Amino acid sequence: MTNADLASENDGKPSKKPKVLVIGAGTCGLRAAEVLIRAGCEVKVLEARDRVGGRIATTTRLGLPLDLGANWIHGNVGNPIIAIAEKVNSSYSIDELDDTIVFAPDGSLLPKRLGDEVVTKMWDYFDEGITYSAQNMPTIQPNVSFMEYYKSKIAAEEGWNEERRTYQLQIADLLGSIVATEIGKQDFRNLHMEEPIPGENLFLSSTYGPVMDLMAETVLKEDGCLELNRPVERVETVRVGGEGQVQRVYTKDGEVYTADAVLCSIPLGSLKQDRVKFDPPIPEKIRQSIKHLGYGSLEKTYITFPKAFWMDGPSYFIFLADSTASDRKTTAAISLAHIAPPHNQPTLLFYTHGATSKHLTSILQFSSPQESRSKILSFFHPYISKLPNYSPSNPDCVPRDYVSTNWLNDEYAGNGSYTNFPVGLVDGVEDVKVIEEGVEGWRVWFCGEHTAPLLGLASVSGAYWAGERAARRCLGAFGMEEEATNV
Ligand SMILES: Cc1cc2nc3c(=O)[nH]c(=O)nc-3n(C[C@H](O)[C@H](O)[C@H](O)COP(=O)(O)OP(=O)(O)OC[C@H]3O[C@@H](n4cnc5c(N)ncnc54)[C@H](O)[C@@H]3O)c2cc1C
């Protein structure tokens, strides 16, 4: 198709009903599409995978549904995901998962009170660090890691013996499961970008599955709106007529789509790798901001047993690691046996990040399924064998099966989990703004958890807000601000 063809199609001016192509059917893309459809646009969503949801994915491989990506609703105050979860009668766990015990690197159990104090202090340092960086950001040097701040807090504590200081240091890396990297790599100056949405964190025990089904409903109802298995390779902005332009989108299988505007919701990790090419290229300012922000790794391993042999113990286990350990960092496991029926199951959920995630996903990538099973279960055995009531001769203590995620090797997840803020970042807020605002007149916008309002960055709620924001920008460009207010 030539430029002339396109010009004759719509004379280079947006048709009355703007045609918008949304790339990606994750939370952000689906919400953007919903807003645009309700505002009266003609919308097509192109999704690379054979399913919607992106970094929300639910599996029943071990029996009951389990979330492979997001599992928590972070902050229940003013969070739009709560309203959706309520509509599908979701169940949450909050207090059930709070009862914690901490194991030292040698496998011994910390006295309960000491363990609780170490955990509480770790969260205090994190919260205080967020507040400090929010208030003092301009005076904090780039290149200072959160770990340096954390260590300074330990050094300032009075009356602690060496053992207490060591445990406090060893638990620090647990925060890596929040920031999706080792905390020595998390920037301190921009730590305030990790500020959570207010309220409680809810573990969605009924999983994100039904929530995602509802989020996709509008798009699925719209005839021909969603196309699965359509990886986009290239977006071309073609000038036609005087001021006019159209967007052409090329998919891997050779299809070409034209539209008045494009909302590109592929992950930040995919943008960093230029997985979709743009012609003209992404403006330098946006490219730089994409480069500055980080993209982390968080993986989950579920291991299921014939019976929850640990059931009469606590629900949350922390295994400290020596800070010199390479692949085996401080790790935590949640007992899904402790959540309320009917969602309880004899299953443990382990979170890993950074080097440990790399180690586990490289096993998945390079080993046969049988070898992977054996290597991954061996990796977690030292943790399992510490649990209350464990006995090597008890068949209930032998894992029945496992599922381990592999986001790091998933190109459509951008080979990682979500956005983070690496040491050396100068002004992450500005970088998010640059990517989110886009370029005047281009009619291509980037959106996703990486362009969320500050409180929602890197989360499902943020991705949802980001979809709304991008849709409103797009509607604004077509003079449809009024329609945007009613959706
Ligand atoms: C292990 C893990 C645990 C997490 N835990 C939580 C949690 O508990 N709570 C929380 O709030 N958040 C959590 N998150 C983060 C949350 O899942 C994401 O922030 C959110 O789902 C991102 O939504 P999105 O729409 O921005 O991106 P995505 O969901 O990644 O959607 C992007 C879509 O684009 C598609 N795509 C990619 N490339 C192309 C292409 N070339 N062409 C067409 N389509 C393409 C993808 O397939 C995908 O469907 C977690 C993430 C991970 C990985």
Side-chain angles (χ1 to χ4, degrees):
M1 189 182 273
T2 64
N3 289 3
D5 293 328
L6 287 167
S8 62
E9 228 174 61
N10 63 1
D11 209 16
K13 294 187 193 92
S15 41
K16 266 215 164 102
K17 205 175 177 188
K19 280 166 76 175
V20 186
L21 267 164
V22 177
I23 306 176
T27 305
C28 175
L30 290 170
R31 179 56 181 154
E34 182 174 54
V35 171
L36 293 166
I37 291 166
R38 287 188 186 158
C41 298
E42 197 183 318
V43 180
K44 177 144 319 263
V45 181
L46 299 177
E47 166 55 49
R49 302 177 196 267
D50 60 1
R51 61 168 182 84
V52 299
R55 281 168 278 165
I56 289 180
T58 310
T59 179
T60 49
R61 233 195 72 188
L62 299 184
L64 290 174
L66 294 168
D67 278 319
L68 299 173
N71 219 143
W72 296 82
I73 300 179
H74 294 299
N76 60 351
V77 177
N79 190 331
I81 304 300
I82 293 285
I84 301 170
E86 295 290 327
K87 276 193 196 143
V88 294
N89 297 319
S90 295
S91 312
Y92 318 108
S93 303
I94 319 169
D95 302 336
E96 296 93 320
L97 304 176
D98 259 4
D99 189 10
T100 306
I101 51 174
V102 181
F103 294 92
D106 67 1
S108 61
L109 191 60
L110 266 63
K112 175 79 175 128
R113 198 166 140 204
L114 175 61
D116 285 349
E117 279 172 10
V118 171
V119 174
T120 305
K121 244 331 164 207
M122 172 195 76
W123 286 114
D124 288 350
Y125 290 171
F126 191 57
D127 293 344
E128 288 164 22
I130 287 174
T131 307
Y132 185 92
S133 86
Q135 290 168 352
N136 301 283
M137 192 247 184
T139 62
I140 303 172
Q141 292 298 311
N143 296 322
V144 177
S145 73
F146 171 56
M147 188 57 148
E148 286 170 67
Y149 170 83
Y150 188 100
K151 282 182 177 167
S152 74
K153 297 292 284 184
I154 297 178
E157 297 286 356
E158 289 176 7
W160 282 11
N161 62 22
E162 209 39 48
E163 188 188 52
R164 176 74 170 81
R165 289 178 196 281
T166 304
Y167 291 148
Q168 199 61 58
L169 186 61
Q170 286 169 341
I171 202 169
D173 207 40
L174 199 65
L175 293 169
S177 296
I178 308 289
V179 301
T181 187
E182 284 86 6
I183 72 154
K185 296 181 181 167
Q186 162 69 43
D187 187 59
F188 184 47
R189 191 179 150 91
N190 289 278
L191 186 71
H192 63 97
M193 297 181 79
E194 293 289 346
E195 186 178 343
I197 296 170
E200 285 182 297
N201 286 325
L202 310 179
F203 184 88
L204 207 40
S205 35
S206 49
T207 77
Y208 263 99
V211 174
M212 181 42 71
D213 289 346
L214 187 56
M215 290 204 279
E217 201 177 69
T218 307
V219 164
L220 291 174
K221 270 190 189 157
E222 194 77 1
D223 223 12
C225 174
L226 174 68
E227 293 200 19
L228 298 174
N229 302 306
R230 286 271 192 257
V232 169
E233 282 192 332
R234 198 154 70 89
V235 176
E236 191 184 14
T237 305
V238 183
R239 296 266 158 214
V240 282
E243 294 291 290
Q245 63 182 30
V246 291
Q247 312 294 340
R248 274 193 206 153
V249 173
Y250 298 79
T251 59
K252 199 173 176 179
D253 55 3
E255 289 293 329
V256 186
Y257 299 79
T258 61
D260 301 310
V262 169
L263 264 54
C264 179
S265 79
I266 66 172
L268 179 72
S270 306
L271 292 175
K272 280 176 171 291
Q273 299 175 56
D274 283 326
R275 290 283 187 187
V276 174
K277 303 272 184 284
F278 291 84
D279 181 8
I282 299 176
E284 190 53 23
K285 200 174 167 196
I286 300 181
R287 284 182 74 83
Q288 285 303 323
S289 289
I290 289 169
K291 202 170 141 192
H292 295 161
L293 296 172
Y295 198 63
S297 68
L298 178 73
E299 302 288 346
K300 295 161 87 171
T301 300
Y302 292 98
I303 303 180
T304 196
F305 296 82
K307 275 197 186 130
F309 62 89
W310 62 87
M311 188 61 202
D312 58 2
S315 54
Y316 186 53
F317 308 97
I318 296 173
F319 305 93
L320 300 181
D322 200 305
S323 48
T324 55
S326 55
D327 292 343
R328 201 174 273 283
K329 303 286 183 190
T330 291
T331 296
I334 291 177
S335 162
L336 301 190
H338 284 71
I339 63 181
H343 307 293
N344 55 329
Q345 48 186 308
T347 303
L348 295 167
L349 161 57
F350 289 88
Y351 285 94
T352 58
H353 62 272
T356 312
S357 286
K358 282 203 184 85
H359 174 66
L360 294 172
T361 52
S362 70
I363 292 176
L364 293 171
Q365 193 183 11
F366 297 114
S367 309
S368 69
Q370 211 45 41
E371 279 170 349
S372 294
R373 180 191 162 94
S374 152
K375 286 180 185 171
I376 288 182
L377 292 180
S378 303
F379 178 87
F380 286 103
H381 179 73
Y383 306 127
I384 293 165
S385 63
K386 305 284 179 313
L387 297 183
N389 309 323
Y390 176 82
S391 157
S393 58
N394 179 354
D396 289 341
C397 303
V398 179
R400 194 170 55 75
D401 208 349
Y402 87 109
V403 174
S404 215
T405 63
N406 199 358
W407 298 104
L408 264 174
N409 291 311
D410 181 341
E411 70 166 286
Y412 298 131
N415 300 94
S417 56
Y418 45 82
T419 302
N420 63 13
F421 314 105
V423 171
L425 182 65
V426 177
D427 188 349
V429 173
E430 177 62 19
D431 287 321
V432 170
K433 187 166 165 264
V434 165
I435 303 170
E436 191 270 321
E437 282 182 355
V439 171
E440 177 84 40
W442 189 18
R443 293 192 176 157
V444 173
W445 288 273
F446 298 104
C447 54
E449 49 87 6
H450 49 287
T451 64
L454 196 55
L455 284 184
L457 280 166
S459 72
V460 172
S461 319
Y464 187 85
W465 280 325
E468 269 173 14
R469 280 221 292 210
R472 293 211 159 98
R473 280 201 183 281
C474 179
L475 292 171
F478 293 113
M480 296 172 71
E481 289 87 354
E482 212 170 296
E483 287 86 340
T485 56
N486 304 324
V487 284

